[in-house]
Amino acid sequence: MTRVLIVDDDSFARTMIRTILAAQGIDVVGEAADGDEVPAAVAEHRPDIVLVDLQMRRVDGVEAIRRNASLPGAPRFVALTGYGNEDAVVQALRAGAAGFLSKDDDPSTLATHLRAVADGGGALGPDAAALVIQRMTTPEGQDRAAAARTQLQLLTEREREVAALVAGYTNQQIGTRLGMSDNTVKAHVTRALTKLGMNNRAELAVLADRAGLTA
């Protein structure tokens, strides 16, 4: 069972999220009331995923992710928010988040995304994906799409094939679709991130989506 730590300074929100996730078979192992409580809560509860709100009083979600996501043995971090814009999505992913979800997402969709992250995948909820797609359709977004396609030219054809699938599939599922082992998929993802100067596969998923490289 996927073990989740909820970080939100609104106690009512924590209770609601806990109830929703429990109904979907997600094990909420602990809670924290602000970003500065994350290290102690992680040490105590050993979650697979830290589900963190972006707006908190002392240490906001992006900063909490930045401070903790890259530490040795760290759990995976997912931003969960009641609001969003593309800048917030990108900031969270650059800080090290493996996903960006909305508190308004359907409970079953939320649980599916969290299980995918626990299994090594990335996750963009419908609202976050829509923000990225909306930006792509503006003149500025079209320029960004062209820039994204140029960036992806740094990758081999096989790495681009993998990049097209990282948003919605685990390594095992990508391997099945492309006829390669899990370890080979992981190696392609790692090389792609290194070439592009990225921190995680969710950031790669945003770039692939922006470039229209989806499958």
Side-chain angles (χ1 to χ4, degrees), residues 158-182:
R158 203 58 162 163
E159 288 164 355
R160 287 193 295 273
E161 289 177 343
V162 170
L165 297 170
V166 295
Y169 300 93
T170 65
N171 287 347
Q172 182 179 11
Q173 291 169 333
I174 294 172
T176 298
R177 286 177 64 110
L178 298 181
M180 61 180 72
S181 70
D182 296 3

Side-chain angles (χ1 to χ4, degrees), residues 39 64-75 77:
I65 294 168
R66 183 177 293 112
R67 291 182 186 181
N68 296 283
S70 62
L71 296 177
F77 281 74

Side-chain angles (χ1 to χ4, degrees), residues 75-153:
R76 309 201 77 201
F77 281 74
V78 173
L80 181 69
T81 183
Y83 80 100
N85 55 52
E86 192 194 5
D87 289 340
V89 175
V90 172
Q91 287 174 13
L93 298 180
R94 285 180 175 170
F100 192 105
L101 305 175
S102 170
K103 292 178 180 178
D104 295 327
D105 287 345
D106 179 81
S108 62
T109 300
L110 180 61
T112 297
H113 280 311
L114 292 178
R115 291 190 180 99
V117 170
D119 198 33
L124 281 180
D127 289 348
L131 287 167
V132 176
I133 292 169
Q134 181 180 17
R135 181 64 66 89
M136 288 170 58
T137 62
T138 65
E140 179 185 358
Q142 291 168 5
D143 290 342
R144 291 188 178 195
R149 288 191 290 271
T150 298
Q151 282 184 270
L152 288 169
Q153 291 304 311

Side-chain angles (χ1 to χ4, degrees), residues 149-164 178 180 184-185 187-196 204 213:
R149 288 191 290 271
T150 298
Q151 282 184 270
L152 288 169
Q153 291 304 311
L154 295 171
L155 308 184
T156 66
E157 182 177 355
R158 203 58 162 163
E159 288 164 355
R160 287 193 295 273
E161 289 177 343
V162 170
L178 298 181
M180 61 180 72
T184 300
V185 173
H188 282 309
V189 172
T190 299
R191 284 196 293 268
L193 295 177
T194 299
K195 290 178 181 180
L196 296 170
L204 177 60
L213 188 66

